[in-house]
Amino acid sequence: MKQAQDTAFLDSPIEITIIRDGRPLMNQTFQHSPIQIGRVLDNDIVLPFDSVSRFHCELRFENKKWTLVDLKSMNGMKVNGQQVASATFETGGEFDVKPVTIRFQVKLPHPLPSAPMMSPSQLQVLSHQVMRLWLGPMSAHSEGSPKANDSTMSAANRSSQPAGQFPPLRRRLPLIAQCSISMA
């Protein structure tokens, strides 16, 4: 019968792979400790082999390390080819429960890339620079000319605008709005 123990939830999940004859049979991720391994369905990992005891062994997360403990199994387990009653691992390891090898690894969270920190004044300068790029040079000629204000202007006419002039503000506003929404 499975012993009643306190279940602890882990900050980082643990990935366990069951290997037989060099081929992975199963890959499973757990977010709790202990993880019990054995032949019957009451275990977290079920190994349906006659050489595996009903409740064979378990992995426990204790004192920031993983401990593998034999639960008085008939055939025991091996770490690095040596029969052991228990073994301790840092963030992963491998052990044998005849006829399989069990490999486990703590899945460490990937740190987010850190962006350089900017002061509020630097952000304000940057936002003004971005707005100037979006708005372009503002002159009476670019906003007031009928040719520049024509929203149906053809691509050929738009490409013939003098360098440094941008389409009128009313056609750029949707882009500016999208930019400010995505920056928030």
Side-chain angles (χ1 to χ4, degrees):
M1 181 190 302
K2 189 174 183 177
Q3 298 173 355
Q5 286 190 346
D6 293 329
T7 299
F9 293 97
L10 307 171
D11 291 334
S12 298
I14 180 172
E15 185 175 77
I16 296 180
T17 305
I18 309 298
I19 302 164
R20 184 172 186 189
D21 300 327
R23 293 183 162 171
L25 296 178
M26 179 191 83
N27 194 5
Q28 193 167 354
T29 302
F30 294 92
Q31 193 80 37
H32 69 275
S33 168
I35 300 167
Q36 200 157 11
I37 302 166
R39 191 178 67 237
V40 296
L41 295 176
D42 288 340
N43 291 288
D44 296 304
I45 297 175
V46 178
L47 300 175
F49 305 105
D50 291 337
S51 59
V52 176
S53 295
R54 293 177 57 226
F55 299 99
H56 200 96
C57 61
E58 72 180 9
L59 277 169
R60 300 177 189 156
F61 189 68
E62 303 172 323
N63 302 320
K64 299 183 180 181
K65 293 185 180 184
W66 284 95
T67 303
L68 174 65
V69 179
D70 190 340
L71 299 177
K72 301 178 183 174
S73 66
M74 191 65 123
N75 292 318
M77 56 202 180
K78 292 182 179 181
V79 175
N80 296 326
Q82 299 294 316
Q83 192 84 20
V84 296
S86 68
T88 304
F89 303 92
E90 291 288 326
T91 59
E94 192 173 284
F95 58 96
D96 296 322
V97 174
K98 188 178 176 184
V100 297
T101 298
I102 299 173
R103 182 179 299 150
F104 71 98
Q105 182 67 46
V106 175
K107 294 175 76 174
L108 299 175
H110 296 289
L112 296 174
S114 60
M117 297 300 292
M118 299 179 100
S119 69
S121 61
Q122 289 173 317
L123 285 172
Q124 188 176 14
V125 169
L126 180 63
S127 66
H128 286 292
Q129 291 172 343
V130 169
M131 290 305 286
R132 264 189 267 142
L133 285 172
W134 277 102
L135 295 175
M138 301 303 292
S139 68
H141 174 71
S142 66
E143 287 296 310
S145 102
K147 182 177 180 184
N149 281 334
D150 182 11
S151 62
T152 60
M153 185 185 330
S154 71
N157 287 338
R158 262 182 274 160
S159 65
S160 67
Q161 284 182 338
Q165 288 192 0
F166 295 89
L169 180 60
R170 64 186 162 87
R171 285 194 297 190
R172 292 189 306 257
L173 282 176
L175 296 174
I176 295 167
Q178 288 174 353
C179 178
S180 61
I181 289 170
S182 65
M183 290 173 61

